[in-house]
Amino acid sequence: SSLEEEMKQHIDGLYYPDTGQTCYEWTMIEIGIPYLLMDSVKQLNRPVESVIHAGGNIGIYALQFAKRAKNVYVFEPAHENFAALSLNCAYTENIYLYKAALGCEHRPIQMFNPAPDLQCGAWQVRDSGNIPTLRIDDLGLNDVSIIHLDIEGYEFFAIKGAIDTIKRSRPILAFELLDHNTNYDYTRDELFDYVTNDLGYKRYMKYANEIMFMDEK
């Protein structure tokens, strides 16, 4: 069967995996996040250039970012989500898709979903698999305006893999504010302290389940 046939659900013109309904509803509650982040860049008197967005899920945020950003780099390691993401973003020329996880070292991982029948947005990184892990620094970008990470607790590792990019571009940083960090043996405060003390950012806004940081300078 074709990829389109495998993606049985179609909501608002978008392809979804069978487990996509709950994730769609959750995402739509927070649909203002991409515009809020891009508006924040504009308030700094900067153009919205490159956006790094992970996990891309089925592309709702990516498509919003692409309306105003120069380029959008999207990471989604879960197979069923990437299939829908590819279909939904296929004709948007400034979106670049990576079927990979983001971290701070190059190592193959696998994905685990604690609620596989209910929620396509719950995939988590686990050790030892065949999915590549990339670092944000591997992209070599000099114009990153936003790094938005919704990767179920793996945010700390993705940020540590973006140090050079952050130093060059000083993008706005945004993370999902839930308790998935407990899967990876670090506390939320450790992440926040790293971003503020080591990277020189300040916490400037909480919106829905997102926490956002801006350059201190």
Side-chain angles (χ1 to χ4, degrees), residues 33-53:
I33 288 170
Y35 287 117
L36 180 61
L37 290 169
M38 290 188 288
D39 285 344
S40 297
V41 174
K42 290 287 189 181
Q43 289 169 14
L44 296 172
N45 295 314
R46 300 178 187 173
V48 182
E49 297 185 292
S50 292
V51 173
I52 295 170
H53 168 51

Side-chain angles (χ1 to χ4, degrees), residues 18-153:
D18 286 342
T19 54
Q21 180 70 42
T22 300
C23 191
Y24 170 81
E25 293 169 356
W26 184 268
T27 302
M28 293 309 294
I29 292 172
E30 303 180 339
I31 192 61
I33 288 170
Y35 287 117
L36 180 61
L37 290 169
M38 290 188 288
D39 285 344
S40 297
V41 174
K42 290 287 189 181
Q43 289 169 14
L44 296 172
N45 295 314
R46 300 178 187 173
V48 182
E49 297 185 292
S50 292
V51 173
I52 295 170
H53 168 51
N57 201 260
I58 59 92
I60 297 174
Y61 284 2
L63 291 165
Q64 298 298 320
F65 280 127
K67 292 176 181 178
R68 287 166 54 182
K70 183 174 77 173
N71 294 303
V72 184
Y73 299 85
V74 185
F75 293 80
E76 175 52 63
H79 176 73
E80 64 175 23
N81 290 347
F82 190 84
L85 175 70
S86 299
L87 290 170
N88 292 330
C89 298
Y91 298 104
T92 306
E93 293 185 358
N94 62 334
I95 292 179
Y96 301 91
L97 305 180
Y98 295 82
K99 191 178 182 182
L102 280 181
C104 56
E105 57 183 349
H106 298 129
R107 65 185 183 93
I109 56 91
Q110 62 180 319
M111 300 301 293
F112 167 75
N113 191 335
D117 297 327
L118 300 174
Q119 173 61 287
C120 72
W123 289 96
Q124 302 169 4
V125 170
R126 290 292 185 268
D127 290 331
S128 301
N130 55 8
I131 300 169
T133 301
L134 300 178
R135 301 174 306 159
I136 289 173
D137 285 344
D138 293 331
L139 299 176
L141 298 173
N142 297 308
D143 65 347
V144 178
S145 300
I146 296 165
I147 296 177
H148 176 258
L149 304 175
D150 183 353
I151 48 179
E152 304 302 295

